[in-house]
Amino acid sequence: DVVMTQSPLSLPVTLGQPASISCRSSQSLVHSDGNTYLNWFQQRPGQSPRRLIYKVSNRDSGVPDRFSGSGSGTDFTLKISRVEAEDVGVYYCMQGTHWPPFTFGPGTKVDIK
Amino acid sequence: EVQLVESGGGLVQPGGSLRLSCAASGFTFSSYSMNWVRQAPGKGLEWVSYISSTSSTLYYADSVKGRFTISRDNAKNSLYLQMNSLRAEDTALYYCTRATWDYWGQGTLVTVSS
């Protein structure tokens, strides 16, 4: 099974400042079809997860452009250019290349300093 | 508007059974594969099970294999999870999601406790 790791696990940020979350996979997430199936999800307190980014860098509809995804192979990053109060929550990366099983990272908790 | 609404959760004793349902609307349910994902209290996300659009392909996490059964009724736009031999470690909020991972329900809470 592909193991997903994230760092940091806790990220206190200052409003208006940038934030960055790293996600690493135990093997390359490049699929035989050429795509890399790496998603990022946001889970605000008391809410269901919401997909922000799919296939490494594609933002979902309605996701603010301050969120961006990048990376390749086994190393991926979610960046928030300027953190806003509504960004508080837990962020998960998830791989959909080598499944079953689909595997999630442990989550990174973002809160305001 | 796409909606996924889970139901059927509750308190059950260890060794007991429960059947979860997920009612889908706002999209052509029969065209989409579906997943169940769970989240233990205060913990992260764990994929549980997958079913293809025609029910021809089923997958399970090792942690639930042999105890849980996923199914669907495309005529009723519904997804199900039959959970048998429940254990304390199955206590979680259970979400249904489209296999495209773009829509999630609000979850239904399963508590396994004596």
Side-chain angles (χ1 to χ4, degrees):
Chain A
D1 298 355
V2 177
V3 176
M4 305 297 290
T5 57
Q6 290 181 230
S7 62
L9 298 183
S10 178
L11 182 57
V13 296
T14 302
L15 289 174
Q17 293 301 301
S20 180
I21 300 170
S22 173
C23 172
R24 288 195 167 93
S25 56
S26 60
Q27 59 184 278
S28 173
L29 298 185
V30 180
H31 194 276
S32 57
D33 66 8
N35 290 306
T36 299
Y37 295 99
L38 186 284
N39 295 326
W40 286 98
F41 296 90
Q42 174 195 60
Q43 188 173 32
R44 291 171 171 153
Q47 295 189 12
S48 301
R50 165 200 184 195
R51 195 180 68 180
L52 298 177
I53 302 285
Y54 62 96
K55 287 194 285 186
V56 181
S57 60
N58 296 275
R59 233 180 353 260
D60 271 278
S61 175
V63 174
D65 60 8
R66 64 179 181 274
F67 289 94
S68 64
S70 63
S72 63
T74 61
D75 289 344
F76 305 93
T77 302
L78 176 70
K79 291 183 178 177
I80 310 173
S81 58
R82 295 172 306 280
V83 172
E84 297 190 6
E86 65 178 18
D87 300 336
V88 166
V90 182
Y91 292 78
Y92 297 93
C93 59
M94 187 217 87
Q95 69 84 20
T97 295
H98 305 290
W99 61 278
F102 297 99
T103 48
F104 293 86
T108 294
K109 186 175 183 179
V110 172
D111 59 13
I112 305 301
K113 280 183 185 173
Chain B
E1 177 195 5
V2 171
Q3 281 201 314
L4 298 169
V5 180
E6 301 92 338
S7 61
L11 174 63
V12 61
Q13 291 189 339
S17 298
L18 216 50
R19 189 197 196 204
L20 307 184
S21 299
C22 172
S25 61
F27 66 102
T28 306
F29 179 71
S30 60
S31 297
Y32 285 82
S33 301
M34 300 291 293
N35 288 298
W36 286 99
V37 174
R38 68 185 181 183
Q39 186 170 35
K43 302 297 185 183
L45 301 170
E46 178 189 17
W47 170 77
V48 173
S49 186
Y50 164 95
I51 185 168
S52 62
S53 59
T54 60
S55 304
S56 60
T57 301
L58 310 178
Y59 293 121
Y60 299 93
D62 287 345
S63 57
V64 306
K65 202 172 294 182
R67 300 186 299 120
F68 290 11
T69 303
I70 191 171
S71 62
R72 64 191 296 161
D73 185 335
N74 286 343
K76 294 183 177 179
N77 290 337
S78 292
L79 174 71
Y80 306 102
L81 187 68
Q82 177 66 44
M83 304 186 297
N84 298 331
S85 303
L86 283 161
R87 306 166 179 166
E89 54 265 35
D90 296 318
T91 294
L93 190 59
Y94 285 74
Y95 297 101
C96 65
T97 84
R98 291 203 312 191
T100 42
W101 300 101
D102 51 353
Y103 287 95
W104 296 58
Q106 85 290 347
T108 187
L109 181 63
V110 172
T111 303
V112 184
S113 174
S114 55

